[in-house]
């Protein structure tokens, strides 16, 4: 469900207090506003920080969309269940 139009986009109050060009952001749910364009952000994803330069195409999205929290798989891509091999048990007589 989207946020009501009359409420406006949610932005954490600490983002307005910071007047820096580089930010450390823990609030992944905050929306990106036009006044943030050109700034650099370090977005915390639960384990470390992901660097990001904010561009005009990112306006209206949330910071969390640009910092993945999932670990990449070891094979490089997800194995689909239909392609995995199931070992058959040997019958013991």
């Amino acid at each position: 469900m989207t946020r009501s139009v009359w409420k406006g986009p949610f932005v954490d109050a600490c983002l307005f207090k910071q007047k820096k060009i580089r930010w450390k952001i823990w609030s992944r749910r905050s929306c990106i506003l036009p006044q943030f364009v050109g700034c650099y952000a370090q977005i915390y994803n639960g384990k470390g920080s992901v660097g990001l330069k904010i561009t005009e195409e990112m306006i209206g999205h949330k910071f969390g969309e640009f910092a993945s929290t999932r670990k990449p798989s070891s094979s490089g891509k997800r194995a689909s269940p239909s392609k995995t091999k199931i070992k058959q048990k040997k019958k013991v007589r």
Side-chain angles (χ1 to χ4, degrees):
M1 184 179 291
T2 59
R3 188 171 166 88
S4 297
V5 176
W6 63 269
K7 289 183 181 179
F10 174 79
V11 180
D12 198 14
C14 69
L15 295 177
F16 288 116
K17 292 177 186 175
Q18 298 177 355
K19 298 293 182 187
K20 302 178 186 177
I21 294 176
R22 290 191 176 271
W23 294 337
K24 287 212 175 212
I25 298 172
W26 283 269
S27 176
R28 298 167 40 87
R29 63 186 180 158
S30 297
C31 286
I32 299 174
L33 299 178
Q35 59 201 25
F36 300 154
V37 173
C39 297
Y40 293 93
Q42 293 285 327
I43 304 168
Y44 187 70
N45 66 359
K47 185 175 181 182
S49 295
V50 177
L52 176 72
K53 181 177 180 182
I54 301 171
T55 61
E56 290 185 15
E57 293 82 29
M58 297 177 183
I59 295 173
H61 293 276
K62 298 187 183 288
F63 284 108
E65 296 180 40
F66 303 104
S68 177
T69 58
R70 303 290 181 190
K71 184 192 297 188
S73 65
S74 61
S75 65
K77 62 180 183 177
R78 287 181 55 188
S80 62
S82 61
K83 294 184 179 180
T84 57
K85 295 181 181 178
I86 299 173
K87 293 183 180 180
Q88 296 178 354
K89 294 182 180 180
K90 294 181 181 178
K91 291 183 180 180
V92 179
R93 293 183 186 203

